Amino acid sequence: YAPSQNDELLIGDSYTDPNSNTFSEGRTLFDRGYGLKVTGTYNAGRRLTFSTAARYADGQNFARLVVVPDLPQGREVIRAFANGKTKFTYTMTLDLRAQKVFTWQGHDVTLALETYNAIDLHNEVEEITITGPLWRKGTFAQPPRVIRLTAGVGF
């Protein structure tokens, strides 16, 4: 019932534990309700180009888990919600690029400034799914803003 349990490419305990399929319902981990990608490029003339890429994705589905320690058969992990009733926080990025090409000694020289995650969003990508004091505490977050200067020479 963790995110890896809903991964269609991994073998879970469905065939070894008959309780796993009892009233099974919900969405798989990779089923995201909404996603959007937009890109654009503007040629400003004089070999100057501006580009952008924006991406939005709904959070991944997961099930809230409850650990019941004192059952007759022993400790058991059960779902509090169906898969997909709870989602991780959405992710969104905005990438920007400015590029200038000029000629130097008969060769094209390209200088570019790139920014990844320009809005510097730090949403969590994964959270703790077990009921308790750490419930929904982030365990992984989006990478921070990165600014990169590149240069290239054409021969």
Side-chain angles (χ1 to χ4, degrees):
Y1 305 120
S4 61
Q5 180 72 19
N6 297 336
D7 189 343
E8 297 159 335
L9 302 175
L10 296 176
I11 298 174
D13 61 356
S14 296
Y15 299 110
T16 59
D17 183 358
N19 293 329
S20 292
N21 285 330
T22 306
F23 304 113
S24 62
E25 61 177 291
R27 298 178 173 185
T28 59
L29 176 70
F30 299 107
D31 177 18
R32 293 180 182 235
Y34 301 98
L36 178 67
K37 293 180 184 179
V38 178
T39 62
T41 301
Y42 175 69
N43 187 353
R46 299 189 179 203
R47 300 172 84 182
L48 181 63
T49 306
F50 298 98
S51 301
T52 184
R55 177 175 115 9
Y56 168 84
D58 263 359
Q60 291 179 315
N61 303 300
F62 71 96
R64 183 174 184 170
L65 304 175
V66 176
V67 178
V68 184
D70 53 357
L71 292 173
Q73 69 267 28
R75 186 176 176 167
E76 186 70 39
V77 177
I78 60 171
R79 292 187 302 172
F81 301 139
N83 294 332
K85 295 289 184 183
T86 311
K87 293 182 172 211
F88 296 136
T89 306
Y90 71 92
T91 59
M92 186 169 62
T93 60
L94 175 65
D95 303 333
L96 306 170
R97 177 181 171 99
Q99 173 181 296
K100 172 68 175 161
V101 180
F102 59 94
T103 303
W104 180 66
Q105 294 185 356
H107 299 285
D108 281 343
V109 177
T110 304
L111 293 177
L113 182 65
E114 302 169 334
T115 304
Y116 301 97
N117 193 11
I119 53 179
D120 203 22
L121 206 59
H122 295 286
N123 284 352
E124 58 269 359
V125 177
E126 190 173 301
E127 304 167 0
I128 294 176
T129 61
I130 297 175
T131 300
L134 298 178
W135 159 248
R136 298 218 68 167
K137 182 179 184 314
T139 56
F140 294 106
Q142 289 181 239
R145 177 186 307 128
V146 174
I147 300 173
R148 182 170 82 165
L149 178 64
T150 63
V153 178
F155 291 96

